[in-house]
Amino acid sequence: MNNFRKPILDVLRGQTPEHIPVWLMRQAGRYLPEYREIRAKSKNFLNMCLDSDLATKITLQPIRRFDMDAAILFADILLVPMALGVPLEFCEGEGPVLKKLEDEKSIDALFYESEKVSAVFETVRRVASSLPKKTALIGFCGAPWTVACYMVDGKGKTNFTRTQTWVKEKPELLQKLITRLLDASEMYLGAQIEAGAEVLQIFDSWAGLLSGTAFARFVIEPTQELVARMKKKYPQVPIIGFPREAREGYVPYVRQTGVDALSLDSSVELNFAKRELQSVKPLQGNLDPALLVQGGSEMIKTMENILSTLGPLHIANLGHGVVPETPPEHVTELVRFIQNFRI
Ligand code: CP3
């Protein structure tokens, strides 16, 4: 087979890859000593995202060390609210803190300025020109619902109770915010593609907070619209959707949103996934990040079961991001095992 085919693009087009491709969410991050070294010298996380030199180096770190099949742009889903004019900080030990949206006026005031995130697109250009030929470059954004959660509650460790109140009591206001985010995300993703991103992933980390009609309105509908807009302009760029913890929502999500592949969290049962989801679209993910911390035969046995159940229309990945406690040697072992697995 042609060496220059990218296995991940094969899977996303529904074709059998030369080997099952692998990449990991948060593959560049605090578990890597070379990341911690750059982080120790930097003012803060946001500065690292907005410095193309550093962000390029960090994006390439896991590729150099592990030779994954895809690189994911080093950036953050909260750069979109920042580009919309929302003050954003990453506080040590606290995670992101944003200025909360108060009312309709504060939503009307949101205005997307692409220049505020131009460093991100420069990073994409630089990474695209330095990747090995078989390695794909993944761009991303947060789904409107998940980004709205952070903008309404102002931070992460809140269960997003204020946002959930808006769902029930101010759905029109939330809809207005979601529409703004949809427009901004369209521009943000378009610029990533123009700069060289070959695949997109839409992270809906808090999709699981909604169900029923609210899930349809705030998760499925905006994702469907975002995918449709991207497909209209860039039909060749595959899109992976990740409605984390959506449980029974996974089925309508994969059937209705138009995504090219579906990323599974660790709670999705494999035989259900094969039967109800993989019959619709290729799948990604599912390995519990805790097993990557543990390593050894338990990790390999579980991975082998995922690979043999889901077969070649699958991109190996975790059910969520790599955690800081992960020993890098476990990642080496996992990637080698997956890439040598006989389909
Ligand atoms: O390697 C990659 O996956 C690419 C880069 C990436 C980051 N964040 C870097 C990051 C991606 C794709 C994201 C997505 C992201 N950001 C999501 C969706 C995925 C998910 O985790 O559910 C969310 C919800 C965010 C928002 C965010 N960013 C939070 C809540 C936090 C704090 C929690 C944490 O893990 O520290 C961040 C910080 C962040 N984003 C770090 C990294 C490497 C840690 C920064 C550091 O302390 O060095």
Side-chain angles (χ1 to χ4, degrees):
M1 194 174 277
N2 186 335
N3 286 331
F4 298 146
R5 280 181 69 163
K6 304 189 183 197
I8 193 169
L9 293 180
D10 283 337
V11 174
L12 290 167
R13 291 178 186 130
Q15 295 162 358
T16 301
E18 177 255 329
H19 62 264
I20 295 179
V22 55
W23 69 279
L24 304 177
M25 293 186 260
R26 285 287 168 90
Q27 62 189 19
R30 284 164 294 188
Y31 76 107
L32 285 179
E34 56 270 37
Y35 173 86
R36 292 197 300 270
E37 195 180 312
I38 293 182
R39 194 178 190 272
K41 287 190 239 153
S42 310
K43 205 162 104 213
N44 57 46
F45 170 69
L46 207 51
N47 276 37
M48 290 157 71
C49 292
L50 296 174
D51 178 326
S52 309
D53 240 2
L54 294 182
T56 301
K57 276 197 193 120
I58 295 169
T59 304
L60 294 170
Q61 282 175 345
I63 307 305
R64 304 254 190 272
R65 194 193 257 256
F66 308 112
D67 195 25
M68 274 100 170
D69 295 284
I72 181 157
L73 164 70
F74 183 78
D76 199 87
I77 64 166
L78 300 177
L79 296 181
V80 167
M82 193 201 75
L84 282 164
V86 178
L88 166 70
E89 268 185 88
F90 281 84
C91 303
E92 204 59 50
E94 255 236 74
V97 180
L98 297 83
K99 185 167 186 296
K100 267 193 225 172
L101 292 175
E102 290 303 335
D103 47 20
E104 185 151 17
K105 235 175 61 210
S106 57
I107 296 174
D108 286 333
L110 298 171
F111 181 73
Y112 180 76
E113 289 182 84
S114 182
E115 311 78 62
K116 288 190 171 154
V117 281
S118 54
V120 172
F121 313 132
E122 177 59 21
T123 304
V124 174
R125 262 188 294 279
R126 292 191 197 182
V127 173
S129 68
S130 20
L131 280 177
K133 287 203 164 49
K134 65 141 202 165
T135 315
L137 174 52
I138 305 175
F140 70 92
C141 72
W145 160 251
T146 285
V147 177
C149 283
Y150 287 97
M151 293 173 82
V152 173
D153 268 79
K155 56 183 176 193
K157 293 172 182 159
T158 60
N159 267 326
F160 302 105
T161 46
R162 189 162 180 255
T163 315
Q164 303 214 56
T165 306
W166 280 33
V167 171
K168 293 201 184 73
E169 294 172 12
K170 303 181 184 180
E172 296 311 320
L173 199 57
L174 182 59
Q175 184 68 60
K176 188 165 194 180
L177 172 59
I178 296 254
T179 304
R180 285 291 165 100
L181 285 168
L182 188 54
D183 294 341
S185 305
E186 178 189 0
M187 292 187 267
Y188 184 65
L189 290 180
Q192 291 182 39
I193 294 172
E194 302 284 346
E198 303 169 278
V199 175
L200 300 173
Q201 178 152 324
I202 301 174
F203 287 90
D204 216 341
S205 304
W206 300 106
L209 294 176
L210 298 179
S211 58
T213 52
F215 184 82
R217 179 169 184 187
F218 297 119
V219 171
I220 295 196
E221 280 176 28
T223 305
Q224 188 180 47
E225 176 66 19
L226 181 57
V227 171
R229 292 189 197 176
M230 299 318 295
K231 291 284 173 196
K232 194 163 173 208
K233 259 178 129 171
Y234 307 100
Q236 79 288 1
V237 178
I239 303 174
I240 304 169
F242 183 32
R244 193 171 71 89
E245 306 283 346
R247 303 171 312 272
E248 66 278 7
Y250 265 102
V251 174
Y253 185 98
V254 74
R255 290 180 177 275
Q256 295 168 24
T257 56
V259 294
D260 298 278
L262 184 68
S263 203
L264 309 176
D265 64 66
S266 306
S267 73
V268 181
E269 203 269 316
L270 274 185
N271 289 309
F272 164 82
K274 183 181 166 77
R275 203 176 56 239
E276 305 291 335
L277 305 173
Q278 202 180 30
S279 52
V280 187
K281 292 287 162 68
L283 302 179
Q284 169 176 279
N286 185 251
L287 184 72
D288 187 344
L291 281 173
L292 189 58
V293 177
Q294 188 184 329
S297 61
E298 199 65 31
M299 169 182 84
I300 294 298
K301 224 175 57 205
T302 309
M303 192 66 235
E304 183 166 24
N305 183 41
I306 296 174
L307 296 177
S308 51
T309 308
L310 297 181
L313 284 186
H314 165 236
I315 299 163
N317 204 320
L318 303 176
H320 201 188
V322 179
V323 296
E325 301 73 34
T326 306
E329 312 76 63
H330 295 178
V331 177
T332 309
E333 193 187 352
L334 183 74
V335 170
R336 191 170 302 148
F337 177 74
I338 294 162
Q339 292 177 338
N340 290 329
F341 184 82
R342 291 279 112 235
I343 309 177

